[in-house]
Amino acid sequence: MNVYIYDKTFDGLLTAVFDAYFRKTFPDALLSEGDALPLFCDELHTVVTDEEKAGRVWRGLQKKVSSSALGCLTQSWLSELPEIGILIFRYIRKAIDAPRSIETNFGDPDVLQLAQIWKKVDGERVHLMQFVRFQKAADGTFFAAFEPQYNALPLTVHHFKDRFADQKWIIYDMKRRYGFYYDLQEVTTISFDDDSRESHLITGMLDESLMDKDEKLFQQLWKTYFKAICIKERMNPRKHKQDMPVRYWKYLTEKQK
């Protein structure tokens, strides 16, 4: 079994593709440093991430598949699934070697599986935009938190920047401990440590002492509205959980007691 060790970055994955063609040996497994090696390992190669090599592979791939297929690859990468690295590797290899585009060949298990993963990540992107609940802090910054199943937050930044262009905001992924801050001009990546002065934000909900003076009132009005539009006789908990996944409830204003 041939094993490649890489740094679990997308550029590292593309570099692994470059190395495989250069070495004319293709990996059966892609692992990161510290992962347990298979019992039978014939060859071990450590990939050194190289932006130039990664760029060459990406430019070559642009000639073989459409921009939407490339988007599918990068979006599926954000799933962070254990097998996503080797799955994308096999897809890229097939795309490069095939005489015509493979992107609609759903008879190929790798093409089908990537399409299914892309759909799940894109669904998470839509949920993030649907279930955002901003809280207004005393300094005027709006704060929202999520715990998405997939790392889909980067896919929503353009939407939030366009939709809330006149407001300072922070959107934070509680699961991965990073987020984005918009200062009315540009978006920057941020991360809060437990011992930082912004550590209160890692709870996902602003303390009342840090809220804008009208925020508590707005939250209560939203809860009252949400309760008023619910028709008791038509309550369907199963459908409700299907349309609004339970993992989002923790940070939804209308679900707070």
Side-chain angles (χ1 to χ4, degrees):
M1 175 179 281
N2 290 328
V3 176
Y4 277 26
I5 304 293
Y6 77 119
D7 61 1
K8 291 286 185 178
T9 65
F10 196 71
D11 276 351
L13 177 61
L14 295 177
T15 304
V17 174
F18 183 96
D19 286 359
Y21 276 95
F22 182 80
R23 292 162 52 86
K24 296 183 173 59
T25 59
F26 295 88
D28 301 297
L30 283 172
L31 303 176
S32 61
E33 197 72 41
D35 287 347
L37 295 175
L39 186 59
F40 300 103
C41 181
D42 301 321
E43 186 175 353
L44 183 66
H45 171 64
T46 299
V47 176
V48 179
T49 300
D50 186 308
E51 289 186 9
E52 184 179 347
K53 292 179 180 178
R56 288 179 62 179
V57 172
W58 190 252
R59 288 190 294 273
L61 200 55
Q62 287 176 323
K63 299 174 183 178
K64 303 295 290 189
V65 296
S66 67
S67 58
S68 61
L70 294 174
C72 174
L73 290 181
T74 55
Q75 195 158 316
S76 296
W77 173 257
L78 295 175
S79 70
E80 301 179 330
L81 294 171
E83 73 277 11
I84 194 63
I86 193 64
L87 181 60
I88 292 178
F89 186 101
R90 291 199 301 263
Y91 181 99
I92 292 175
R93 183 184 177 187
K94 290 175 181 178
I96 291 174
D97 293 346
R100 60 185 64 86
S101 175
I102 66 167
E103 58 194 88
T104 58
N105 180 19
F106 298 112
D108 185 296
D110 291 335
V111 176
L112 178 61
Q113 190 175 356
L114 268 177
Q116 293 169 336
I117 292 172
W118 169 84
K119 188 175 181 180
K120 290 178 182 178
V121 176
D122 197 59
E124 191 82 301
R125 175 188 67 85
V126 174
H127 282 150
L128 289 176
M129 295 188 294
Q130 288 175 330
F131 302 133
V132 63
R133 298 291 186 268
F134 282 108
Q135 305 164 70
K136 189 177 183 181
D139 67 354
T141 301
F142 288 82
F143 174 71
F146 302 100
E147 284 186 29
Q149 182 177 359
Y150 306 113
N151 187 19
L153 187 57
L155 303 174
T156 67
V157 171
H158 179 76
H159 164 79
F160 287 121
K161 183 179 179 182
D162 182 62
R163 178 68 178 80
F164 304 105
D166 60 343
Q167 300 169 356
K168 291 182 179 180
W169 48 255
I170 292 173
I171 305 175
Y172 205 74
D173 185 330
M174 304 297 293
K175 184 177 180 181
R176 296 164 184 84
R177 292 294 183 93
Y178 86 99
F180 296 98
Y181 170 60
Y182 176 62
D183 64 0
L184 300 181
Q185 294 186 353
E186 61 180 8
V187 178
T188 54
T189 305
I190 58 173
S191 181
F192 300 132
D193 297 322
D194 291 350
D195 58 351
S196 70
R197 66 184 182 85
E198 298 91 353
S199 61
H200 60 275
L201 296 180
I202 66 174
T203 64
M205 301 297 292
L206 290 177
D207 186 270
E208 287 188 28
S209 64
L210 300 167
M211 288 182 180
D212 181 80
K213 60 184 178 64
D214 295 324
E215 175 62 21
K216 197 65 180 177
L217 173 62
F218 287 140
Q219 289 189 14
Q220 189 57 50
L221 288 173
W222 177 243
K223 291 176 188 177
T224 303
Y225 170 76
F226 181 77
K227 186 176 180 181
I229 63 173
C230 291
I231 302 173
K232 198 171 184 180
E233 293 73 19
R234 296 185 181 179
M235 288 291 288
N236 186 339
R238 184 177 179 181
K239 184 70 164 60
H240 182 59
K241 290 179 180 179
Q242 180 181 338
D243 294 339
M244 185 182 286
V246 176
R247 65 179 179 275
Y248 289 98
W249 290 13
K250 183 177 178 181
Y251 305 108
L252 292 177
T253 304
E254 60 269 34
K255 293 294 184 181
Q256 304 301 311
K257 294 182 180 180

